[in-house]
Amino acid sequence: MSQVEIKPGLADVPVAQSGVSFIDGKHARLSYRGIAVETLALESNFEETTWLLIKGELPTQRELTNFDQSLRQRRSLHYRLIELLKQLPENGHPMDSLQTGVAAMGMFYPQRDATNPAQRWEASLKLIASIPTIVAAYARLRQGKDPISPHPDLDHASNFYWMLFGTVPTPSVRKVLNACLILHAEHSMNASTFTARVTSSSLANPYATIAAAVGSLSGPLHGGANEEVLQMLMEIGSVEKVKPWLDEKRKADPHFKVMGMGHRVYKVKDPRATVLQELAEHVFAESSRPVLYDIALALESYAANFYSAKGVYPNVDFFSGVVYRALGIETDLFTPIFAIARISGWLAHWHEQMKENRIYRPEQDYIGKMDAPYVPIDKRP
Ligand code: ACO
């Protein structure tokens, strides 16, 4: 029996020093570079928050204007990347097309030397600017429609909406989209961010690093949860069915997990869920209040009877899907939108990692055989 203590999932094991974001999971606090995320969601926009995360300070007006212009200039994809997206199956998942597109970008854009600060910045701009274009282009191509070219007069969030639908969002939709991107932009050492840090620690090129992070984000225990939440709410179908639905699930599986609830760090309600909920209520007040939102509220309230003692409460993804659905966005685009936001956090951690890089090479506790004989194939049972 091994005496080595393993921490499954590396729970509570620090793997790097970081100044990017801070979470206090007991008191529902999250800040980016010291600024409360609630303030950023209400006061800032995605471009400004991205600069803050990567550069460490809020930009001056001039820095922000230049950054915004640099992003707008890099939104278009090489035509052969669009051709590549056209070759992908239309029934594939958009996270897979995003991962493919990001990895392929590394073959089209030569500024990808992770040891060169100027190339690091150029690749960062290209990635932030182009990821929404890949997501929107694939979303349309799979429906047999042509991609819509980026709109140079629109901000980052509005341009994504434009490339999806061909219309300019209303000011309140623009506000809620910006807030969603800000709330999902960064979250310390989560699985995809750690993936990015591990991949980049070999000095892999930035496109390979971000493609790896996209793959990690796609899983249902991480970014994929927002899609699963919506499917779950639709499966429940009505507020009256919440109690019998959860009772039945718990009876069938005592370890049943409600999607969009629970978090490794938060043991109270995720502050991002609270902000998102407030914004969602503003949007719903202007249009109609979706029944899925009422189902989510009823589920939150009934689930508390069983899970609050374990510190399991709604996380950010419990409400994000309901908001995106209300904006007319298809369910399987929810996780790609998470990636459109999280690129900021991934890049912030990548720049931090590159400043004092050492390749990740942890240890294992070997529990396999020793001195096993090699048996020739004709002698094996
Ligand atoms: N529903 C019901 N019970 C839960 C839930 C849940 N969603 N999450 C955790 N629990 C319970 C577990 O059953 C466990 O109970 P036990 O001690 O009686 O066995 C206890 O809470 C601890 O749960 P773990 O799974 O050990 O927690 P861990 O930190 O490993 O996992 C995770 C965190 C993956 C987020 C988990 O809560 C989960 O699977 N949630 C559902 C998926 C989800 O919403 N993911 C999105 C996370 S946020 C994000 O990536 C943006």
Side-chain angles (χ1 to χ4, degrees):
M1 188 69 179
S2 168
Q3 298 300 308
V4 178
E5 191 199 356
I6 301 286
K7 297 266 193 169
L10 293 180
D12 304 323
V13 178
V15 293
Q17 287 191 318
S18 177
V20 182
S21 65
F22 171 76
I23 306 175
D24 176 347
K26 286 197 189 109
H27 301 100
R29 282 178 63 201
L30 168 63
S31 57
Y32 298 166
R33 300 287 186 184
I35 302 178
V37 76
E38 293 90 339
T39 310
L40 291 168
L42 298 177
E43 307 288 339
S44 184
N45 57 43
F46 179 70
E47 292 86 328
E48 183 182 63
T49 298
T50 298
W51 177 281
L52 169 73
L53 284 167
I54 297 177
K55 297 285 190 177
E57 301 287 344
L58 285 168
T60 61
Q61 183 58 60
R62 194 158 163 213
E63 286 169 336
L64 183 57
T65 305
N66 288 342
F67 181 51
D68 183 23
Q69 284 306 320
S70 303
L71 293 177
R72 288 177 199 230
Q73 286 159 6
R74 287 166 179 77
R75 286 175 179 164
S76 293
L77 296 177
H78 194 288
Y79 77 97
R80 285 169 70 192
L81 267 171
I82 299 279
E83 290 304 314
L84 175 75
L85 296 177
K86 282 184 188 165
Q87 304 309 316
L88 301 177
E90 359 6 278
N91 57 358
H93 197 285
M95 279 302 273
D96 295 331
S97 71
L98 179 60
Q99 193 178 15
T100 306
V102 169
M105 279 176 75
M107 300 176 78
F108 287 101
Y109 303 112
Q111 308 257 52
R112 43 174 256 174
D113 178 356
T115 64
N116 178 323
Q119 295 201 15
R120 284 209 290 270
W121 184 238
E122 176 55 34
S124 302
L125 292 171
K126 190 67 202 162
L127 279 158
I128 300 162
S130 301
I131 283 181
T133 317
I134 297 177
V135 174
Y138 180 71
R140 290 184 63 87
L141 286 167
R142 67 179 177 172
Q143 296 173 342
K145 297 175 185 164
D146 284 330
I148 297 174
S149 299
H151 196 315
D153 299 336
L154 295 178
D155 63 276
H156 195 76
S158 305
N159 173 59
F160 173 62
Y161 188 93
W162 163 261
M163 291 189 296
L164 268 188
F165 300 117
T167 55
V168 177
T170 62
S172 65
V173 168
R174 180 175 158 226
K175 175 91 195 140
V176 82
L177 266 180
N178 262 292
C180 287
L181 294 183
I182 291 169
L183 292 171
H184 285 88
E186 157 63 8
H187 211 229
S188 78
M189 205 56 67
N190 54 84
S192 57
T193 299
F194 185 47
T195 302
R197 289 190 87 126
V198 172
T199 308
S200 68
S201 76
S202 72
L203 299 183
N205 79 67
Y207 299 98
T209 290
I210 299 304
V214 170
S216 172
L217 185 71
S218 68
L221 297 187
H222 191 11
N226 54 15
E227 189 177 330
E228 307 253 341
V229 171
L230 206 86
Q231 274 150 9
M232 173 186 75
L233 298 176
M234 291 198 294
E235 182 191 317
I236 296 172
S238 70
V239 170
E240 297 70 45
K241 290 191 189 141
V242 164
K243 285 186 185 181
W245 179 87
L246 187 56
D247 290 344
E248 201 176 301
K249 293 284 183 195
R250 293 183 62 246
K251 203 169 141 198
D253 173 10
H255 302 291
F256 174 72
K257 284 191 172 170
V258 180
M259 283 293 133
M261 288 200 175
H263 200 278
R264 175 65 58 79
V265 184
Y266 295 117
K267 298 305 163 200
V268 291
K269 187 166 174 176
D270 184 334
R272 301 169 298 171
T274 308
V275 179
L276 207 55
Q277 202 174 346
E278 282 167 19
L279 285 160
E281 291 193 2
H282 276 108
V283 173
F284 302 154
E286 281 187 13
S287 50
S288 59
R289 187 182 162 103
V291 68
L292 291 178
Y293 182 58
D294 288 323
I295 298 173
L297 291 183
L299 182 57
E300 176 185 5
S301 153
Y302 189 53
N305 294 310
F306 314 105
Y307 304 128
S308 58
K310 292 184 189 176
V312 173
Y313 291 92
N315 60 50
V316 66
D317 283 329
F318 196 67
F319 295 111
S320 63
V322 179
V323 174
Y324 296 144
R325 175 45 76 93
L327 301 185
I329 296 172
E330 292 168 282
T331 313
D332 62 1
L333 295 182
F334 298 174
T335 318
I337 295 176
F338 194 156
I340 289 172
R342 187 53 62 85
I343 183 66
S344 314
W346 292 332
L347 289 173
H349 281 267
W350 174 56
H351 284 274
E352 203 175 54
Q353 178 75 29
M354 289 302 101
K355 278 193 192 139
E356 263 179 76
N357 185 55
R358 188 174 187 204
I359 191 166
Y360 274 99
R361 203 326 182 172
E363 204 31 282
Q364 64 169 7
D365 178 24
Y366 180 69
I367 54 163
K369 294 177 187 169
M370 297 292 276
D371 303 323
Y374 176 80
V375 182
I377 196 159
D378 57 343
K379 302 270 176 351
R380 291 174 209 164

